[in-house]
Amino acid sequence: MKNFKKNKEDFTCEKCSFFVVGNGYTNHCPECLWSKHVDVIPGDRLDLCCGLMEPSRFEKDGGEEALVHRCMACGHEKRNKLSQNDNYDKVISLVKSRIG
Ligand SMILES: [Zn+2]
Ligand SMILES: [Zn+2]
């Protein structure tokens, strides 16, 4: 047996099957930018939806770039800071697709 311990920071993307190794900030897939609705307020275990969250839009707030993820299952929206590991081409194409 390998010393395999489930770490909430590491996950396999359910959208593109990319294995995401967390760095303490990662909560979405750097390849396709999709996330998963498992990140609850600490202590709040009522919201274990587990739906896939699509990157629905891109926002800038005080110079800080953030992705807004929307849960496909329940519609919950959540802002996530962009990570340096993120596929920036995907971010750009997301921005462009929103502008048209
Ligand atoms: Zn992915
Ligand atoms: Zn949800």
Side-chain angles (χ1 to χ4, degrees), residues 3-100:
N3 187 22
F4 181 77
K5 205 172 98 188
K6 196 167 190 293
N7 184 332
K8 69 168 183 171
E9 300 291 352
D10 294 347
F11 58 96
T12 301
C13 176
E14 292 183 21
K15 188 68 183 172
C16 71
S17 299
F18 184 78
F19 182 70
V20 184
V21 179
N23 61 10
Y25 299 97
T26 309
N27 52 17
H28 56 270
C29 174
E31 280 302 305
C32 70
L33 306 177
W34 281 60
S35 185
K36 203 182 172 194
H37 194 184
V38 291
D39 198 13
V40 294
I41 300 162
D44 178 5
R45 294 284 154 197
L46 299 171
D47 199 15
L48 293 174
C49 165
C50 294
L52 279 173
M53 299 184 81
E54 76 167 331
S56 67
R57 59 180 194 275
F58 178 78
E59 287 184 351
K60 258 196 170 178
D61 181 26
E64 191 174 89
E65 296 169 325
L67 272 174
V68 178
H69 285 102
R70 188 168 49 85
C71 180
M72 303 293 281
C74 73
H76 176 77
E77 288 197 335
K78 184 174 186 295
R79 295 183 72 224
N80 289 296
K81 230 178 7 176
L82 278 180
S83 153
Q84 289 196 333
N85 297 326
D86 285 347
N87 184 335
Y88 211 73
D89 289 342
K90 280 270 163 59
V91 177
I92 296 300
S93 65
L94 177 68
V95 173
K96 282 182 179 163
S97 76
R98 302 308 292 189
I99 295 168

